[in-house]
Amino acid sequence: QVQLDESGGGLVQAGGSLRLSCAASGHTYSRYAMGWFRQAPGKEREFVAAISYSGSNTYYADSVKGRFTISRDNAKNTVYLQMNSLKPEDTAVYYCAADPSIATMLGGGPYHGIDYWGKGTLVTVSS
């Protein structure tokens, strides 16, 4: 069992930065691939970024590539999403996810097969 708790969301102006954190509980955390997803009002949940359990492999949606960076600290049971050069279209609720297989996160929506989700943190980017 893995529980995920996101933090770090808030209101930021376009061009600004935020860092999201996802604290995980559960002794098997380090064996899970971790990911960030987001859902804007009226839209489907979409993939943002994912990282393998070792941290050696990372994947990004084209819309955030070069602006967002995913990382993890297995000693702290925490995964991060550094978001730079934020745009109004980045406004969404951001969710942390965990699954034994990173392929589950990369395979496209609707992501019903992902084992664990956090409750989400709201990011609002003003123009």
Side-chain angles (χ1 to χ4, degrees), residues 51-99:
I51 187 167
S52 61
Y53 70 86
S54 67
S56 58
N57 296 300
T58 57
Y59 306 86
Y60 297 93
D62 287 343
S63 59
V64 306
K65 203 170 292 183
R67 300 188 298 123
F68 290 11
T69 302
I70 189 171
S71 61
R72 67 190 295 165
D73 185 338
N74 287 347
K76 296 182 178 180
N77 283 4
T78 302
V79 63
Y80 305 97
L81 185 68
Q82 178 67 44
M83 306 186 295
N84 299 328
S85 302
L86 283 161
K87 305 175 181 180
E89 51 263 43
D90 294 318
T91 294
V93 177
Y94 284 70
Y95 297 91
C96 179
D99 196 273

Side-chain angles (χ1 to χ4, degrees), residues 35-38 45-50 59-61 63 105-106 111:
W36 288 96
F37 294 76
R38 67 187 182 186
R45 190 169 298 189
E46 64 175 3
F47 168 78
V48 175
Y59 306 86
Y60 297 93
S63 59
M105 300 186 183
L106 304 179
Y111 307 111

Side-chain angles (χ1 to χ4, degrees), residues 1 10-11 20 26 30 46 48 55 65 70 78 95 101 103 110 119 122:
Q1 188 79 6
L11 174 63
L20 305 183
S30 63
E46 64 175 3
V48 175
K65 203 170 292 183
I70 189 171
T78 302
Y95 297 91
S101 171
K119 294 182 179 180
L122 177 63

